[in-house]
Amino acid sequence: MSMRVGIVGISGFGGGEAMRLIANHPHFDLVYAAGEGSAGSRLLDRFPGVPQKLAGLVIEKWDPASLPKLDVLFASLPTGASAEALARVSKDIKIVDIGGDHRYAEGWTYGLADIWPDQIKGQARIANPGCFPAATLTALAPLLVNNLIEPGNIVIDAKTGVSGAGRGGADSKFGYAESNENLQPYGLLKHVHMPEMAKTIARLGGASVAGLVFTPHLVPMTRGVLVTIYCRGSATTDQCLDAARRFYFERAFVRVTDNPPQTKWATGSNLAFVSYAADPARNLVIAMGVVDNLGKGAAGQALQNANLICGLPETAGLDGAPVWP
Amino acid sequence: MSMRVGIVGISGFGGGEAMRLIANHPHFDLVYAAGEGSAGSRLLDRFPGVPQKLAGLVIEKWDPASLPKLDVLFASLPTGASAEALARVSKDIKIVDIGGDHRYAEGWTYGLADIWPDQIKGQARIANPGCFPAATLTALAPLLVNNLIEPGNIVIDAKTGVSGAGRGGADSKFGYAESNENLQPYGLLKHVHMPEMAKTIARLGGASVAGLVFTPHLVPMTRGVLVTIYCRGSATTDQCLDAARRFYFERAFVRVTDNPPQTKWATGSNLAFVSYAADPARNLVIAMGVVDNLGKGAAGQALQNANLICGLPETAGLDGAPVWP
Amino acid sequence: MSMRVGIVGISGFGGGEAMRLIANHPHFDLVYAAGEGSAGSRLLDRFPGVPQKLAGLVIEKWDPASLPKLDVLFASLPTGASAEALARVSKDIKIVDIGGDHRYAEGWTYGLADIWPDQIKGQARIANPGCFPAATLTALAPLLVNNLIEPGNIVIDAKTGVSGAGRGGADSKFGYAESNENLQPYGLLKHVHMPEMAKTIARLGGASVAGLVFTPHLVPMTRGVLVTIYCRGSATTDQCLDAARRFYFERAFVRVTDNPPQTKWATGSNLAFVSYAADPARNLVIAMGVVDNLGKGAAGQALQNANLICGLPETAGLDGAPVWP
Amino acid sequence: MSMRVGIVGISGFGGGEAMRLIANHPHFDLVYAAGEGSAGSRLLDRFPGVPQKLAGLVIEKWDPASLPKLDVLFASLPTGASAEALARVSKDIKIVDIGGDHRYAEGWTYGLADIWPDQIKGQARIANPGCFPAATLTALAPLLVNNLIEPGNIVIDAKTGVSGAGRGGADSKFGYAESNENLQPYGLLKHVHMPEMAKTIARLGGASVAGLVFTPHLVPMTRGVLVTIYCRGSATTDQCLDAARRFYFERAFVRVTDNPPQTKWATGSNLAFVSYAADPARNLVIAMGVVDNLGKGAAGQALQNANLICGLPETAGLDGAPVWP
């Protein structure tokens, strides 16, 4: 079986990773790629290592009204740029929006593919979770559904590689000399990923969430997200690990580990790693989650969602091992 | 005025940084250096860029019983290696122990030079704080002494560059290919720096501390420590900043900043940066502290302590700007 | 068609990369893995992200006399460790030796898969080229066979990421804090890769080579090799590019580019990139070659060689796009 | 003695490093700082770790016609931006131009402070060498003046950290995610530093130079330049080392080392390291030079030049040890 897929936002990091994964997918053929600055170039001009079968594909100027026949469109546009444009895409084309505009928007399903895959199957409009929410919610879900932590008392200390900030920032904050050998907190008390996390925690934990604390940090590495989450609860470490192992028993991409996970374990893959360390005497549960921000945190989960909505095995094209070292 | 100083543990990162700072000090002359593996070499053999005046100094085998006449000895030995040896050093020689064996030990003053300088002046045995405690306690002290946070409910999420782990780890955990592009939590719920932090928090906050949470992370950079500390309290951001500005009003090395501090701001210097972000509606105070783990986190504070115990200006030899970028 | 393959030296970087590529190969089943320090562990214990189908495979102690039935064995042992041991492997098992002991050894074919694939097909003992030779010889071959440069007057300035030095060096030269933010020349005038390069240049260029100059440098990055090669000849840039395009016309893994290649173009792939810049007025030809030292420089080329000796398409399992960024 | 100095281009990397060094200088007082984007800010706003004595200095808009009384002006402007503007500076103000516009320009002395310090003393207009020339010419000078190599047959393979490209490049080539884990050759056969190197080599070698080859590479590190230079000559390694030791006998900042120098040896300092490896049988001399591109390659040498033209000891303010690790 072969399906026709397209990418808009091909020149960004998320779009580029989607291209890499699609090139390795047994059922998806990339027949359309669009971008802004790169329109008119061939994929080979932008990606010197692109597989030969895709090398000659010409990047088009993005126009939602004149798309070719497609089964699935992957959209990886800057926040604010996709809401209106994607509304003009034909209903015959399924969409996975890697960007942030449709998370918890009406008519769109929030695509936590490892947490509620059954709600994704059969849908046609998927809002792909952000990288921080992907790591955070994967770590928290087993605790929340088993009432092992208080949903209203969660502190998320998040760390991301610089590719999470997107490409080519003219902002010198992301210049090599400024970011290298530097560790930078940012966006305190107001990060754009907060709402989708709060809504999902409330949904999984059965309570409204007002007190969520989230602090992102920019780490001098290209890829990787680690969240260290401080929760209140009296569960033991083993109870948390057991809850996660049961919760993810049939899920191919989530690994529950005894040791604290490292970001490099996930690099280049769609895997998520979760672990826990608890101290009932202090009413403390530490949950940890690791993803590749461009894998499970963006394009990897997007392909997983596309597999689900297309009725394919969710692991199709995604079962490669991470790159190490 | 000229004082004779020595370093034991010259080949490690802490000892090497002490050498660099002493070379630039107006009153300290390095007349003795000792090491294990490096004994018999000249400083020039180990440090190709060592200033010429020190190049020919021969590194001796460490023997506390046969030291030359010294005013101050800086000890930078692995944990466990200094307790017995330093007991054999003549009482005529003042000691600043950069290692971990004497923190809150009897007869030793815990050398938080920016927090209680008056308790350090006139002492002869100083236990230099660890790098995590230096960053953490500098950020917390103004909040604790002003009762702006609950001392029993503190969560410290700490991040350090790899030089914090010491030199030449045969442990592949610190190999370049393994550490680069990787972010690693470690030592959950049991780090060696916990006791000195808990004791100091209790002392400053006027209460015993049982619930302290501390999670260190290894970040792919050489130098730098950032702590992000989650506290409970109803103070506003401005109240916290004001408290810190008052507390550190006369201190040369602590900078209170409106924006979240970055580790690169401190690289190569003895500076500490602290900032705060609070949300009274959530009873939340986030305190942040940044130091260079080899500066304020080790050799920088050691020289500051040496200045204090020798009756010198505390800034002598330490007023250089950080290295940027 | 399914073939049974094994890896000895699974815990090293080359062995680990071979595992990653085999896991994605349509015809190779990994049924045997051996190591020294890791014997007794499951693959999952060493590689937290290993694909599920391989997770439970137990690493055995390496014993060439008691191997299971295998079609191909990939050997990735330290230099000096494989010559004797591999002699004891049954003749029924084909071997690709990623290590350095059999390059230009009797009974072994030097496996330059992009340069002389026809000499590899049907063989049973392949010595896989080193990472520097892979990059160097791929760049030089078209010039040598077309007599565009003088084979006796070649200067190779080579740069490698730190994983090229192998894993877990107790040598602090490869420690993170020592290697990061550092660039180190090493092994001047005597690198172990010299003989295989000199022999191949002589073979391709039809002349003995005495004057080869080779200078490797250690670069602060994990993966990647770039060689910048200074040759004497009167060809133009276009003549060099044309010669390379003709030479590699049917080769899937070599890309000839107008612009100087960057190491990141190859990361995680089996690709090699070559380019040229010439100035006939100065009798100068600069040839450049880029590979991933663990891809084309080790495990990638090893699988390509295995495909060739097994009669499979040379691209089987190797056509993934590089990881970017 | 106290001298009034100013910096124009304070926000760039070169200007910032000049500020750091001036802050530590015993005779220079920074009384004027100018920039474009940063005009109106205090130094503290741009450099959070700036020494307290400079913190309140307000950055002015650059106007060469309305400078305060100054003894020395350090200019660190983009190439092309200083030629006209500096012509309008009063003759009473000495200028060290860190930028590239005046190298070998009429009325300006090319400031190779370690090679011809006597030609610099007493001058009022100094063109500071570029970072690549600083490393290259320091390594080559002893060979050239002793006729140990052929001046017309020199190949320079140069490697630089990313700060050498200047600050805040909107160019994504210098973005963190694009530069990290990447090694990029650039500017083949046409780099802007070529003319000053060719002219100096001709001057030192007593012959015109047409065949110089120079290839720069961008290395994923912040600071550091290493040049590996391939020359023709029959000298032995010892003869080269001896020539360099004699040539630099009285020079404080050049270190001749038996082992190949590493960039980290120079970080944060004004040192240059040179070494040599020769093979008379192949008529080969390899010369190596290391500098910090912002030290000896920019601001360090600029201060050394300023010391020379002001009649101060050349080491004033520059004798600090490099930062390690």
Side-chain angles (χ1 to χ4, degrees):
Chain A
M1 176 178 33
S2 175
M3 291 177 160
R4 296 168 55 89
V5 306
I7 301 172
V8 53
I10 186 76
S11 294
F13 293 146
E17 185 75 351
M19 186 273 288
R20 181 174 82 90
L21 297 173
I22 290 167
N24 207 36
H25 194 284
H27 303 300
F28 288 162
D29 286 332
L30 186 68
V31 297
Y32 172 78
E36 284 293 327
S38 54
S41 315
R42 296 169 305 159
L43 282 185
L44 181 64
D45 301 323
R46 306 291 291 189
F47 302 97
V50 67
Q52 286 179 318
K53 63 182 175 184
L54 297 178
L57 187 66
V58 175
I59 301 173
E60 303 193 21
K61 190 153 171 49
W62 163 233
D63 178 1
S66 65
L67 294 175
K69 178 170 157 37
L70 291 176
D71 293 291
V72 183
L73 177 68
F74 295 93
S76 184
L77 295 163
T79 298
S82 65
E84 190 193 6
L86 295 184
R88 298 165 57 205
V89 173
S90 159
K91 298 297 176 202
D92 297 336
I93 299 176
K94 296 184 180 70
I95 301 178
V96 179
D97 187 3
I98 300 175
D101 286 359
H102 293 105
R103 294 170 191 157
Y104 280 91
E106 197 180 326
W108 291 74
T109 299
Y110 187 63
L112 281 169
D114 299 313
I115 295 180
W116 46 59
D118 292 341
Q119 301 186 26
I120 295 165
K121 291 172 186 169
Q123 302 298 326
R125 292 288 181 272
I126 304 294
N128 212 54
C131 55
F132 288 129
T136 300
L137 299 170
T138 308
L140 289 182
L143 306 183
L144 289 166
V145 301
N146 287 289
N147 296 312
L148 297 179
I149 57 171
E150 302 170 20
N153 196 341
I154 294 174
V155 171
I156 305 162
D157 192 279
K159 298 94 173 169
T160 182
V162 182
S163 69
R167 191 177 183 189
D171 191 338
S172 67
K173 179 174 168 186
F174 309 119
Y176 182 85
E178 290 89 347
S179 300
N180 185 41
E181 285 287 294
N182 198 5
L183 178 60
Q184 313 176 53
Y186 68 98
L188 270 77
L189 303 178
K190 57 182 183 213
H191 192 276
V192 68
H193 282 173
M194 291 275 290
E196 58 183 293
M197 288 194 286
K199 284 171 187 162
T200 309
I201 290 169
R203 182 168 162 186
L204 293 168
S208 78
V209 173
L212 190 68
V213 179
F214 175 69
T215 313
H217 300 77
L218 201 61
V219 177
M221 60 186 188
T222 299
R223 289 179 177 229
V225 161
L226 166 72
V227 292
T228 315
I229 314 172
Y230 302 92
C231 312
R232 295 298 164 188
S234 59
T236 64
T237 300
D238 282 346
Q239 286 172 327
C240 296
L241 290 168
D242 287 349
R245 291 198 169 104
R246 286 193 314 272
F247 190 83
Y248 292 117
F249 179 66
E250 297 189 316
R251 303 268 59 83
F253 295 116
V254 183
R255 305 241 165 137
V256 183
T257 64
D258 290 340
N259 291 317
Q262 308 178 3
T263 60
K264 210 173 184 65
W265 293 359
T267 302
S269 82
N270 187 43
L271 295 172
F273 292 85
V274 299
S275 188
Y276 305 91
D279 184 353
R282 285 187 276 176
N283 199 40
L284 171 74
V285 173
I286 304 177
M288 290 159 281
V290 155
V291 300
D292 181 332
N293 56 298
L294 297 177
K296 175 65 74 191
Q301 178 137 268
L303 262 84
Q304 187 180 355
N305 276 316
N307 285 339
L308 289 170
I309 62 178
C310 292
L312 299 169
E314 70 170 346
T315 57
L318 293 171
D319 45 8
V323 175
W324 177 86
Chain B
M1 175 179 34
S2 176
M3 291 177 159
R4 297 168 54 87
V5 306
I7 300 172
V8 55
I10 186 76
S11 294
F13 292 146
E17 185 75 350
M19 186 272 288
R20 180 174 82 90
L21 296 173
I22 291 167
N24 206 38
H25 195 284
H27 304 299
F28 288 163
D29 287 334
L30 186 69
V31 298
Y32 172 78
E36 285 294 326
S38 53
S41 315
R42 296 168 306 159
L43 282 186
L44 181 63
D45 302 323
R46 305 290 292 189
F47 302 98
V50 67
Q52 286 180 318
K53 63 182 174 183
L54 298 178
L57 187 66
V58 174
I59 302 173
E60 303 193 20
K61 192 155 169 45
W62 163 234
D63 177 2
S66 64
L67 294 176
K69 178 171 157 34
L70 291 175
D71 292 292
V72 184
L73 177 69
F74 296 93
S76 184
L77 296 163
T79 298
S82 65
E84 189 193 7
L86 295 184
R88 297 164 58 205
V89 173
S90 158
K91 298 296 177 203
D92 296 335
I93 299 177
K94 296 183 180 70
I95 301 178
V96 180
D97 187 2
I98 301 175
D101 287 359
H102 293 104
R103 296 173 189 154
Y104 281 90
E106 197 180 326
W108 291 74
T109 299
Y110 186 64
L112 281 169
D114 300 313
I115 295 179
W116 47 57
D118 292 340
Q119 300 185 28
I120 295 164
K121 291 172 186 168
Q123 301 298 324
R125 292 289 181 272
I126 304 294
N128 212 54
C131 55
F132 288 129
T136 299
L137 299 170
T138 308
L140 289 181
L143 306 183
L144 289 165
V145 301
N146 288 288
N147 297 310
L148 297 180
I149 56 170
E150 301 170 21
N153 195 342
I154 294 175
V155 171
I156 305 162
D157 192 279
K159 299 93 173 168
T160 183
V162 183
S163 69
R167 190 175 184 190
D171 190 338
S172 67
K173 179 175 166 186
F174 308 120
Y176 182 86
E178 289 89 347
S179 299
N180 185 41
E181 285 286 296
N182 199 6
L183 178 60
Q184 313 175 53
Y186 69 97
L188 271 77
L189 303 177
K190 58 182 181 210
H191 192 276
V192 68
H193 283 172
M194 290 276 290
E196 59 183 291
M197 288 194 286
K199 284 171 186 161
T200 308
I201 290 169
R203 182 169 162 187
L204 292 168
S208 78
V209 172
L212 190 67
V213 179
F214 175 69
T215 313
H217 300 77
L218 201 61
V219 177
M221 59 186 190
T222 299
R223 288 178 178 230
V225 161
L226 166 71
V227 291
T228 315
I229 315 173
Y230 302 92
C231 313
R232 295 299 164 186
S234 59
T236 64
T237 300
D238 282 346
Q239 286 172 326
C240 297
L241 290 168
D242 287 349
R245 292 199 169 103
R246 287 193 312 272
F247 190 83
Y248 292 118
F249 181 65
E250 297 190 316
R251 303 267 60 83
F253 296 116
V254 184
R255 305 240 166 137
V256 183
T257 64
D258 291 339
N259 291 317
Q262 308 177 4
T263 60
K264 210 173 184 65
W265 294 358
T267 302
S269 81
N270 187 43
L271 294 172
F273 293 86
V274 299
S275 189
Y276 305 91
D279 184 352
R282 285 187 275 177
N283 200 40
L284 172 74
V285 173
I286 304 177
M288 290 159 282
V290 154
V291 300
D292 181 334
N293 57 296
L294 297 176
K296 174 66 72 190
Q301 178 138 269
L303 262 85
Q304 187 180 354
N305 276 317
N307 285 339
L308 289 170
I309 62 178
C310 292
L312 299 169
E314 71 171 345
T315 58
L318 293 173
D319 45 7
V323 175
W324 176 87
Chain C
M1 176 178 33
S2 175
M3 292 177 159
R4 296 168 55 89
V5 305
I7 300 172
V8 54
I10 187 76
S11 294
F13 292 146
E17 185 75 349
M19 185 272 287
R20 180 175 81 91
L21 296 174
I22 290 167
N24 206 37
H25 194 285
H27 304 299
F28 289 162
D29 286 334
L30 186 68
V31 298
Y32 172 78
E36 285 293 327
S38 53
S41 315
R42 297 169 304 159
L43 282 185
L44 180 64
D45 301 324
R46 304 292 290 190
F47 301 98
V50 67
Q52 286 179 318
K53 63 183 175 183
L54 299 177
L57 187 67
V58 175
I59 302 172
E60 304 192 20
K61 190 154 170 48
W62 163 233
D63 177 2
S66 64
L67 295 175
K69 178 170 158 37
L70 291 176
D71 292 292
V72 184
L73 177 69
F74 296 93
S76 185
L77 296 163
T79 298
S82 66
E84 189 192 7
L86 295 185
R88 298 165 57 205
V89 173
S90 159
K91 299 296 177 202
D92 298 335
I93 299 177
K94 296 184 180 69
I95 302 178
V96 179
D97 187 1
I98 301 176
D101 287 358
H102 292 105
R103 294 172 192 157
Y104 281 91
E106 198 181 324
W108 291 75
T109 299
Y110 186 63
L112 281 169
D114 299 313
I115 295 180
W116 47 57
D118 292 341
Q119 300 185 26
I120 294 164
K121 291 172 186 169
Q123 302 298 326
R125 292 289 182 271
I126 303 294
N128 212 55
C131 55
F132 288 129
T136 299
L137 299 171
T138 307
L140 289 181
L143 306 183
L144 290 165
V145 301
N146 288 288
N147 297 311
L148 297 180
I149 56 170
E150 302 170 20
N153 195 341
I154 294 174
V155 171
I156 305 161
D157 193 279
K159 300 93 174 169
T160 183
V162 183
S163 69
R167 190 176 185 189
D171 190 337
S172 67
K173 179 175 167 185
F174 308 120
Y176 182 86
E178 289 89 347
S179 300
N180 185 41
E181 284 287 295
N182 199 5
L183 178 61
Q184 312 177 53
Y186 68 98
L188 269 78
L189 302 178
K190 58 183 182 210
H191 192 276
V192 69
H193 282 173
M194 290 275 289
E196 58 183 291
M197 288 194 286
K199 285 172 187 161
T200 308
I201 290 169
R203 181 169 163 186
L204 292 168
S208 78
V209 173
L212 191 67
V213 179
F214 176 69
T215 314
H217 301 77
L218 201 61
V219 176
M221 58 187 188
T222 299
R223 288 179 177 229
V225 161
L226 167 71
V227 291
T228 315
I229 314 173
Y230 301 92
C231 312
R232 295 299 165 187
S234 59
T236 64
T237 300
D238 282 346
Q239 286 173 325
C240 296
L241 291 168
D242 287 348
R245 291 198 170 104
R246 287 193 312 272
F247 190 84
Y248 292 118
F249 181 65
E250 296 190 316
R251 303 267 60 82
F253 295 117
V254 184
R255 305 241 166 136
V256 183
T257 63
D258 290 339
N259 291 317
Q262 307 177 5
T263 60
K264 209 174 184 66
W265 292 359
T267 301
S269 81
N270 187 44
L271 294 172
F273 293 86
V274 299
S275 188
Y276 305 91
D279 185 352
R282 285 187 276 177
N283 199 41
L284 172 74
V285 173
I286 304 177
M288 290 158 281
V290 154
V291 300
D292 181 334
N293 57 298
L294 297 177
K296 175 67 73 191
Q301 179 139 267
L303 262 83
Q304 187 180 354
N305 277 315
N307 285 339
L308 289 170
I309 62 178
C310 293
L312 298 169
E314 71 170 345
T315 56
L318 293 172
D319 46 6
V323 175
W324 177 86
Chain D
M1 176 178 32
S2 176
M3 291 177 160
R4 296 168 56 88
V5 306
I7 300 172
V8 54
I10 186 77
S11 294
F13 292 146
E17 185 75 350
M19 186 273 287
R20 181 175 81 91
L21 297 173
I22 290 167
N24 207 37
H25 194 284
H27 303 300
F28 289 162
D29 285 335
L30 186 68
V31 297
Y32 171 78
E36 285 293 327
S38 52
S41 315
R42 296 169 305 160
L43 282 185
L44 180 64
D45 301 324
R46 306 290 292 190
F47 302 97
V50 67
Q52 286 180 316
K53 62 181 174 184
L54 297 177
L57 187 66
V58 175
I59 301 173
E60 304 193 19
K61 189 153 171 48
W62 163 233
D63 177 1
S66 65
L67 295 175
K69 179 171 157 36
L70 291 176
D71 292 291
V72 184
L73 177 68
F74 296 94
S76 185
L77 295 163
T79 299
S82 65
E84 189 192 6
L86 295 183
R88 297 165 59 204
V89 172
S90 159
K91 298 297 176 201
D92 297 336
I93 300 177
K94 295 183 180 72
I95 302 178
V96 179
D97 187 1
I98 301 175
D101 287 359
H102 292 105
R103 293 171 192 157
Y104 280 90
E106 197 181 325
W108 291 75
T109 300
Y110 187 64
L112 281 168
D114 300 313
I115 295 179
W116 46 58
D118 292 342
Q119 301 185 26
I120 294 164
K121 291 172 186 166
Q123 301 298 325
R125 291 289 180 273
I126 304 293
N128 212 54
C131 54
F132 288 129
T136 299
L137 298 170
T138 308
L140 288 181
L143 306 183
L144 289 166
V145 301
N146 287 289
N147 298 311
L148 297 180
I149 56 170
E150 302 170 19
N153 196 342
I154 295 174
V155 171
I156 305 161
D157 193 279
K159 299 94 174 169
T160 183
V162 183
S163 70
R167 191 177 184 189
D171 191 338
S172 67
K173 180 175 167 186
F174 308 118
Y176 183 85
E178 290 89 348
S179 300
N180 185 41
E181 285 287 294
N182 199 6
L183 178 60
Q184 313 176 52
Y186 69 97
L188 270 78
L189 303 178
K190 58 184 182 209
H191 192 275
V192 68
H193 282 173
M194 290 275 290
E196 59 183 291
M197 287 194 285
K199 284 171 186 161
T200 308
I201 290 169
R203 182 169 163 185
L204 292 169
S208 79
V209 173
L212 190 68
V213 179
F214 175 69
T215 312
H217 300 77
L218 201 61
V219 177
M221 59 187 189
T222 298
R223 289 178 177 230
V225 161
L226 167 71
V227 290
T228 315
I229 314 173
Y230 301 93
C231 312
R232 294 299 165 187
S234 58
T236 63
T237 300
D238 282 347
Q239 287 172 326
C240 297
L241 290 168
D242 286 349
R245 290 197 170 104
R246 287 193 313 272
F247 189 84
Y248 292 117
F249 180 64
E250 296 189 316
R251 304 266 60 82
F253 296 116
V254 184
R255 306 242 164 136
V256 183
T257 63
D258 291 339
N259 291 317
Q262 308 177 3
T263 60
K264 211 175 183 65
W265 293 359
T267 301
S269 81
N270 187 43
L271 294 172
F273 292 86
V274 299
S275 189
Y276 305 91
D279 185 351
R282 285 187 275 177
N283 200 40
L284 171 75
V285 173
I286 304 176
M288 290 159 281
V290 155
V291 301
D292 182 332
N293 57 298
L294 298 176
K296 175 65 74 191
Q301 177 137 269
L303 263 84
Q304 188 180 354
N305 277 316
N307 286 338
L308 289 170
I309 62 178
C310 292
L312 299 169
E314 70 169 347
T315 57
L318 294 172
D319 46 6
V323 174
W324 177 87

